[in-house]
């Protein structure tokens, strides 16, 4: 039966006035879960999961693989009755994403199980069950859940990341997940510019502009060349998903010959990036770039990497673990550490930037080499957010996934006359 009015409700189960554990329940004629992520640690060191719900879910839609959007999906298959969704221990629930997103989850979920241990309430069994219930959706393919139509399109954030458009009767809701509308080496940026009724928007950088990309790339190359010309190693601690691949593409666009070593989970993730045409700008070029990089698999390669002037791209991005720490203690004094990502207060990357020191195995180590920070964000900056609003012309804007969404709400209302809302955790909004 088709009803005249399209009532849509949005239940905010996470990423509301915070970054982390993105999870939203959108109720049309179906109950659709948009993202189901977690926060590995909050400020007090505790993990955070989405708010509980009691509805039976008809479909789960994942915007992209980052754990703050995907990390709690296996828990939907726990079926213990004690989980987040006691009325839905359904092992039949299907979840939908682009193919690279699924392959990336296959790598990221076991890593989170390793990091979080018993604080994560699911195990290998649920992980396998979840992977079995995946349904592939390519960009720009329309699929239906009852009377609700869904289309995924390129979000310009990481490989496979999607904006989720949901159309129900006369209403269009756009959930951005994480997005970037200006181009990077690997992504052309968001191309979506249709009018929508509601825009549910990633607002991570509501208060900050990112620097000009061209100048930033030049600065990175200058830093690298200055270091290697002096016989040093340019060590680039990097997130294994997205940033490692972007850095390889940038360096190779400017310098075909400088030796690059790639270490950590970024190696396997790069293979997924190279697997799928259509999810990064130029997959052939990326494959070629990757073929010139030494993928570090053995310990003797790690020794070699620091013996010659070279670039090392290695996880973990915040230097809280991973092979990057092994390199730090071996760097010669002409070397430099170049950070390119966000660092949480208290992490080693943060400590390096603020105290010129880091803690390895409980021992404090004063850094004897210079440390640089360059802002290569994969998120929209402030004016990008305003451009997204302009190009989608929404009647209502729901600001999520940000630490300053309340302030942004006020600003959009007062200075731009827009209907914006920064929901609290647990809020239900009628759209
Ligand atoms: Zn993300
Ligand atoms: Zn995110």
């Amino acid at each position: 039966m088709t009803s005249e009015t399209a009532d849509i409700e949005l239940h905010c189960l996470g990423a509301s006035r915070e970054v982390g554990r993105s999870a939203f329940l959108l109720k049309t004629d179906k109950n659709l879960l948009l993202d189901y992520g977690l926060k590995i640690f909050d400020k007090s060191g505790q993990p955070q999961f989405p708010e509980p719900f009691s509805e039976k879910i008809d479909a789960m839609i994942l915007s992209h693989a980052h754990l703050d959007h995907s990390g709690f999906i296996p828990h939907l298959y726990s079926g213990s009755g004690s989980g987040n969704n006691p009325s839905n221990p359904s092992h039949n629930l299907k979840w939908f994403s682009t193919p690279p997103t699924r392959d990336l989850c296959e790598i990221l979920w076991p890593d989170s199980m390793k990091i979080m241990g018993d604080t994560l309430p699911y195990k290998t069994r649920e992980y396998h069950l979840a992977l079995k219930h995946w349904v592939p959706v390519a960009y720009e393919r329309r699929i239906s859940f009852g009377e609700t139509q869904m289309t995924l399109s390129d979000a310009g954030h990481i490989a496979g990341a999607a904006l989720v458009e949901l159309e129900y009767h006369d209403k269009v809701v756009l959930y951005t997940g994480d997005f970037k509308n200006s181009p990077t080496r690997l992504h052309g940026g968001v191309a979506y510019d249709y009018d929508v009724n509601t825009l549910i928007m990633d607002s991570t950088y509501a208060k900050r502009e990112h620097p000009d990309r061209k100048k930033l790339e030049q600065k990175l190359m200058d830093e690298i060349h200055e270091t290697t010309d002096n016989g040093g190693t340019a060590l680039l601690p990097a997130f294994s998903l997205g940033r490692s691949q972007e850095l390889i593409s940038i360096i190779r666009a400017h310098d075909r010959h400088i030796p690059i070593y790639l270490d950590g989970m970024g190696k396997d993730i790069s293979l997924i990036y190279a697997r799928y045409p259509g999810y990064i700008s130029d997959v052939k070029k990326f494959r070629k770039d990757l073929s010139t990089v030494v993928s570090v698999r053995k310990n003797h390669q790690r020794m070699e990497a620091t013996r010659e002037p070279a670039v090392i791209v290695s996880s973990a991005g915040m230097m809280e673990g991973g092979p990057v720490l092994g390199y730090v203690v071996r760097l010669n004094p002409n070397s430099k550490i170049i950070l390119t990502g966000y660092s949480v207060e208290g992490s080693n990357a943060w400590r390096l930037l603020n105290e010129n020191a880091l803690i390895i195995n409980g021992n404090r180590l004063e850094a004897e080499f210079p440390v640089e920070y360059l802002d290569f964000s994969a998120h929209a900056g402030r004016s990008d957010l305003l451009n997204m609003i302009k190009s989608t012309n929404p009647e209502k804007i729901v600001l999520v996934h940000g630490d300053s969404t309340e302030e942004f709400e006020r600003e959009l209302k007062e200075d731009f006359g827009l209907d914006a809302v920064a929901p609290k955790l647990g809020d239900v909004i009628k759209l």
Side-chain angles (χ1 to χ4, degrees), residues 64 66 68-69 157-158 178 379 401:
H64 67 290
H66 276 145
D68 60 319
H69 299 257
H157 173 61
I158 57 167
D178 294 353
H379 287 265
H401 197 289

